Amino acid sequence: MNKFQENAKRKYSGPPQLSPPPGETHVVFNQPCPLEPYNAYLSDTALKHWVKVFGGDWHRDALSEYGEKVGSSLYEAGFVANKFKPEFKSHDRFGKRIDQVDYHPAYHQLMDSGITAGHHSLPWTNRRMGAHVARSALAYMHTQADPGSGCPLTMTFASVPAISHEPDLAALWLPKITAEIYDPRNIPFFEKKGLTIGMAMTEKQGGSDVRANTTRAYPINDDGPGRSYELHGHKWFCSAPMCDAFLVLAYSHDSTRESTGLSCFLMPRWRPDGTKNQIFFQRIKDKMGNVSNASGEVEYRGAFAWMIGPEGRGVRTIIEMVSMTRFDCMVGSSAIMRQALAQAVHHSGGREAFGKNLHQQPLMKNVLADLALESEAVLAISMRVAHSLDIIQNDPKNRHEHLLSRIATAIGKYWICKRSAQFTYECMECIGGVGVVEDNILPRLYRESPINAIWEGSGNIQCLDVLRVLNKNPSVLESFIAELGLASGRFQDFDCFVNDLPEEFSDTKSLEFRARTVVEKLAIAWQASTLIQFADPVVAQAFMASRISRPHAQYYGTLPEGIDCDYLIRRVFDPAGL
């Protein structure tokens, strides 16, 4: 019998009649054992379900192997990598400028494990249906060990579509970007077999408004696509500084120094001639969360870079990378919620209060079941987007999936990433005082929980993106409503909810002011549709009763009567998989 089963089967029989050993003041009892080691894949009923539903089950052996690491060695590495922060060294001991960030070996362990497992590359190296789903499951589990190291893994993964715009550069870079080889050395890219990619878009004066950039790019030669430039300027955020190259936005200029528009560039840390590029990191940020990952502030003083994509179309080029990183924000926030929930359910299963096991207390059951329902709903739509990416990759002409994924990513990032902080706090409250102690993972998850909502475009940006896409192409809304309609005919309240959605867009004058309300309704409808179509029927019915048939209350633990809370809580863990 494993530790979770022991916790769950304990019966309350009053406080133990124990005498402390001589010299001791008390005996520790009514405290659960830690949730470790465990298998983050085999124990996760919901994850296994959605991987199978959307065609990634062929990768289950590798997912199980990675799940075992996440629940043991990588779980411990996550604590250590966040305890010992990255350290920036501008110069070596001889005074030579090196612009180097040193990490604890635990961070390198996390990076090496992720890259070896294909976190950064699986859909690009194995174009089988379900590859995006399987890769998302890897990212989902990895984040539960350490979200910080997931940042460069995500950017490396997401860089592939953007770099693919230039075949010559792609031929040189992509084999190394997608290689399952981690090489953290600060040496030229052409001396490595495995590369990682970062990104630098925002500046002090612009933030999310990247068109306010002041970084300038001037041509070194005019030898066609992939031509080389030198960049001058600064970036307020650059993640992660030790990557081998960065996707950068800058205003390009022609040979007469006239601006040709905002363009996208691939900037290597080392120049093609083997000398250090003119990239000067000023500092790394002292962040509240995402601590294991370094984020830098950087200046370019004639830095070498290649143009990627059409001149003056930099936003359109880099948006393919941003779209993928925003999708990973959905997956990452879902994962933070999952880890917090796992800890809460496990802890309450081994804790007694007021004469009963804690997670058998009626009100606590309501809280835990509500959290479990929320966790599975956000995972469901994350995996639905992954499935869409699989379809698009294998059937590029599938118009419905192209339109759906374009709006779904913005809706999902807005909804999931913003739900994460309140969700994580509620799990912390389930655990109680122990949950705020740094020995526990919950404080780290809580500090991490707002990060994805802010990075890659905050909540308002996502809502405005939804409106912009719908205004540019009304077919997107038609496609989204059609997706929702696939679940029609089974719940009258759901059908009425969906039928009322188009009315939200009739008053265009107030639409921007109401954007958050509208996007929230789209998110809830999409979750309901996905659950009705593909989820366990008990889960779908519970979501309908608590989110569609009536508005969900402000806090968790407000499920209506008639929902099978015990069933929802049992789905959090598959005891056989622990």
Side-chain angles (χ1 to χ4, degrees):
M1 184 180 293
N2 61 49
K3 293 179 180 180
F4 179 75
Q5 290 171 310
E6 290 174 1
N7 276 350
K9 291 190 175 184
R10 288 174 62 186
K11 302 296 183 181
Y12 182 76
S13 57
Q17 303 300 312
L18 298 175
S19 298
E24 299 291 335
T25 60
H26 69 288
V27 174
V28 176
F29 64 97
N30 197 23
Q31 284 288 344
C33 55
L35 178 57
E36 55 187 62
Y38 69 104
N39 189 308
Y41 184 71
L42 295 181
S43 66
D44 192 336
T45 305
L47 179 59
K48 289 186 294 185
H49 173 88
W50 292 103
V51 168
K52 185 174 182 179
V53 162
F54 290 129
D57 198 40
W58 52 266
H59 206 54
R60 60 185 175 275
D61 289 344
L63 293 174
S64 175
E65 181 181 348
Y66 204 70
E68 186 174 352
K69 290 182 179 180
V70 167
S72 53
S73 59
L74 296 186
Y75 183 81
E76 292 300 324
F79 276 95
V80 177
N82 283 273
K83 180 179 180 180
F84 298 97
K85 297 181 179 181
E87 295 184 350
F88 173 57
K89 293 181 179 178
S90 58
H91 297 75
D92 66 14
R93 62 182 181 273
F94 302 109
K96 182 181 178 182
R97 184 87 191 205
I98 55 175
D99 290 284
Q100 181 167 308
V101 179
D102 290 337
Y103 299 86
H104 189 277
Y107 173 86
H108 295 302
Q109 178 186 354
L110 288 155
M111 287 292 296
D112 183 65
S113 296
I115 286 177
T116 301
H119 180 312
H120 69 307
S121 64
L122 182 60
W124 314 135
T125 59
N126 187 338
R127 294 182 173 264
R128 180 176 176 178
M129 276 294 294
H132 275 284
V133 171
R135 182 260 163 192
S136 298
L138 286 169
Y140 183 77
M141 291 188 291
H142 185 95
T143 299
Q144 294 177 52
D146 175 52
S149 55
C151 182
L153 293 171
T154 282
M155 291 186 297
T156 302
F157 162 72
S159 70
V160 172
I163 296 175
S164 296
H165 279 280
E166 296 300 343
D168 291 342
L169 288 176
L172 176 65
W173 283 80
L174 293 189
K176 296 184 178 184
I177 289 173
T178 58
E180 295 178 356
I181 300 171
Y182 175 57
D183 186 346
R185 293 177 298 166
N186 186 5
I187 60 175
F189 62 92
F190 49 80
E191 296 181 14
K192 291 187 174 188
K193 294 182 179 180
L195 303 173
T196 55
I197 304 297
M199 181 166 54
M201 292 175 61
T202 59
E203 298 183 2
K204 297 183 183 77
Q205 73 287 345
S208 296
D209 183 8
V210 295
R211 294 193 181 276
N213 282 2
T214 60
T215 302
R216 298 293 183 258
Y218 301 101
I220 297 174
N221 58 50
D222 287 315
D223 52 1
R227 56 194 182 277
S228 53
Y229 283 71
E230 64 174 32
L231 273 64
H232 299 263
H234 76 280
K235 295 294 176 182
W236 184 228
F237 267 92
C238 176
S239 294
M242 286 306 293
C243 288
D244 297 290
F246 307 93
L247 269 292
V248 177
L249 288 178
Y251 278 98
S252 54
H253 294 69
D254 59 23
S255 56
T256 66
R257 302 183 81 80
E258 288 292 324
S259 176
T260 55
L262 195 61
S263 300
C264 181
F265 298 87
L266 177 66
M267 179 184 291
R269 292 192 71 218
W270 293 79
R271 298 167 68 92
D273 62 4
T275 60
K276 181 184 177 301
N277 207 352
Q278 300 301 298
I279 301 173
F280 299 93
F281 284 97
Q282 304 304 297
R283 58 171 174 160
I284 56 175
K285 309 286 190 178
D286 188 10
K287 299 170 297 185
M288 62 171 273
N290 211 252
V291 171
S292 66
N293 171 50
S295 299
E297 186 176 346
V298 64
E299 290 186 358
Y300 308 131
R301 305 171 191 169
F304 175 91
W306 295 282
M307 183 178 286
I308 300 290
E311 191 167 10
R313 305 300 298 273
V315 174
R316 183 175 181 178
T317 300
I318 207 169
I319 200 66
E320 296 187 47
M321 180 178 186
V322 172
S323 179
M324 288 293 185
T325 57
R326 286 177 175 175
F327 165 62
D328 268 16
C329 286
M330 294 175 58
V331 175
S333 290
S334 300
I336 290 170
M337 294 163 75
R338 162 62 194 180
Q339 178 63 280
L341 173 64
Q343 298 293 327
V345 170
H346 174 75
H347 185 92
S348 62
R351 184 91 167 147
E352 287 125 9
F354 309 109
K356 288 183 181 179
N357 183 277
L358 186 56
H359 78 356
Q360 291 302 317
Q361 294 282 5
L363 189 52
M364 181 59 81
K365 283 204 294 186
N366 194 320
V367 172
L368 293 173
D370 206 358
L371 291 167
L373 186 58
E374 183 83 9
S375 176
E376 183 152 358
V378 298
L379 174 62
I381 59 173
S382 296
M383 286 301 185
R384 177 62 183 91
V385 175
H387 180 55
S388 184
L389 295 174
D390 274 321
I391 295 174
I392 292 169
Q393 183 165 285
N394 286 273
D395 180 14
K397 296 182 179 180
N398 191 310
R399 185 170 181 270
H400 171 73
E401 294 298 333
H402 273 289
L403 296 174
L404 175 65
S405 65
R406 181 64 186 90
I407 189 174
T409 302
I411 294 171
K413 184 186 182 304
Y414 170 82
W415 180 253
I416 298 172
C417 297
K418 292 189 74 66
R419 299 286 282 178
S420 179
Q422 175 62 35
F423 184 102
T424 304
Y425 156 71
E426 194 69 63
C427 293
M428 184 182 290
E429 186 174 314
C430 291
I431 294 174
V434 175
V436 302
V437 177
E438 292 292 345
D439 293 343
N440 194 297
I441 196 173
L442 265 298
R444 175 153 58 94
L445 295 178
Y446 186 62
R447 289 192 298 271
E448 189 74 36
S449 59
I451 301 295
N452 285 334
I454 298 170
W455 283 3
E456 306 300 342
S458 59
N460 283 355
I461 296 298
Q462 301 309 310
C463 291
L464 294 175
D465 190 36
V466 169
L467 300 189
R468 186 183 65 81
V469 170
L470 296 180
N471 183 60
K472 185 177 180 180
N473 186 356
S475 296
V476 172
L477 181 60
E478 296 172 8
S479 184
F480 188 77
I481 297 297
E483 175 72 17
L484 301 181
L486 296 175
S488 65
R490 280 167 268 189
F491 292 93
Q492 184 177 359
D493 288 344
F494 172 77
D495 293 347
C496 292
F497 192 95
V498 172
N499 290 337
D500 290 342
L501 285 176
E503 185 64 25
E504 294 289 342
F505 300 91
S506 59
D507 182 3
T508 56
K509 292 183 178 180
S510 67
L511 189 54
E512 184 173 328
F513 182 79
R514 297 181 292 109
R516 287 194 175 207
T517 301
V518 173
V519 172
E520 286 187 12
K521 289 183 178 181
L522 296 177
I524 293 169
W526 181 31
Q527 287 177 303
S529 174
T530 306
L531 293 173
I532 292 169
Q533 293 179 67
F534 304 109
D536 182 293
V538 175
V539 175
Q541 291 166 4
F543 191 89
M544 283 297 311
S546 61
R547 270 77 166 171
I548 297 292
S549 297
R550 67 167 199 174
H552 191 236
Q554 295 295 314
Y555 297 107
Y556 296 100
T558 54
L559 294 176
E561 291 185 277
I563 287 177
D564 191 342
C565 292
D566 289 324
Y567 185 84
L568 295 175
I569 295 169
R570 285 197 301 271
R571 280 184 63 80
V572 175
F573 281 116
D574 179 354
L578 282 165

